[in-house]
Amino acid sequence: MLLRIDHVGIACENLDEKIAYYEATFGVTVVSREVNEEQGVKEAMLHVADGEGGGSYIQLLEPLGPDTPVGKFLAKRGEGLHHIAYGVPDIEAAMERIGGSGVRLLDERPRHGAMGTSIAFLHPKDVGGVLTELVESPPRPS
Ligand code: V0V
Ligand code: CO
């Protein structure tokens, strides 16, 4: 059911500074930068690898304000690992299956994610303390 690790989301105070750090330290490159008002973030995707199931990325997240998921996370826990995102072939099917197992879905329907993806979050308290995101990528050009 899971295709790959799509990305790891890392909360930070200053996106530009953190991008520069990751580029200098790991030699990774920014492939996308977006503001997502619905999710309350300014974010960047840094490419790590490509596999059969699609690409994998580091997602750096800066909150748009204190009263957002990442803003609250930073206030409570400080900078660091915020979520892990798994690629799935069909997000609605995955939500139905996982929701049916008793895990709370934080989204009733898929939302817009980075780079044209559809995303949905699972409650961290039901996934062993890990905020978990499901990602369906748009079809790749053949
Ligand atoms: C909160 N908790 C976490 C957590 N955030 N645990 C693990 N990882 C996290 N990131 C814990 C927190 O310590 C509390 O536990 C409990 O959950 C309730 O947290 P809270 O501080 O009261 O905060 P809430 O309930 O207001 O919100 C927490 C949730 C919220 C997870 C429900 O952040 C949410 O809906 N997140 C989903 C959307 C999101 O994160 N968007 C930003 C990424 P204790 O202390 O009570 O034990 S956007 C993105 O990834 C995009 C756009 C993409 O394309 O990929
Ligand atoms: Co994410």
Side-chain angles (χ1 to χ4, degrees):
M1 188 172 72
L2 303 182
L3 297 173
R4 67 189 185 286
I5 293 173
D6 184 279
H7 64 268
V8 289
I10 296 171
C12 64
E13 304 278 359
N14 184 306
L15 187 62
D16 290 327
E17 276 177 30
K18 208 56 95 189
I19 288 172
Y21 171 82
Y22 270 82
E23 287 179 336
T25 307
F26 298 109
V28 287
T29 313
V30 174
V31 291
S32 155
R33 278 187 79 141
E34 291 175 39
V35 171
N36 188 321
E37 299 275 355
E38 186 181 37
Q39 298 293 337
V41 292
K42 186 161 98 174
E43 51 89 11
M45 297 296 256
L46 294 90
H47 180 254
V48 176
D50 276 316
E52 273 179 34
S56 64
Y57 306 88
I58 298 161
Q59 180 175 48
L60 301 177
L61 303 155
E62 182 190 310
L64 293 178
D67 197 18
T68 60
V70 176
K72 285 161 92 179
F73 179 91
L74 282 175
K76 217 167 174 177
R77 302 194 183 196
E79 292 189 314
L81 191 56
H82 181 258
H83 65 270
I84 183 152
Y86 298 115
V88 295
D90 178 340
I91 192 159
E92 281 172 351
M95 289 169 76
E96 200 173 310
R97 184 173 151 164
I98 294 167
S101 76
V103 174
R104 275 169 289 169
L105 305 173
L106 293 168
D107 300 291
E108 282 173 23
R109 54 179 176 79
R111 311 278 174 188
H112 295 295
M115 302 191 293
T117 54
S118 294
I119 63 172
F121 287 89
L122 311 177
H123 201 291
K125 291 287 171 197
D126 296 343
V127 195
V130 181
L131 177 59
T132 302
E133 178 185 341
L134 305 173
V135 182
E136 181 183 333
S137 299
R140 285 195 284 180
S142 47

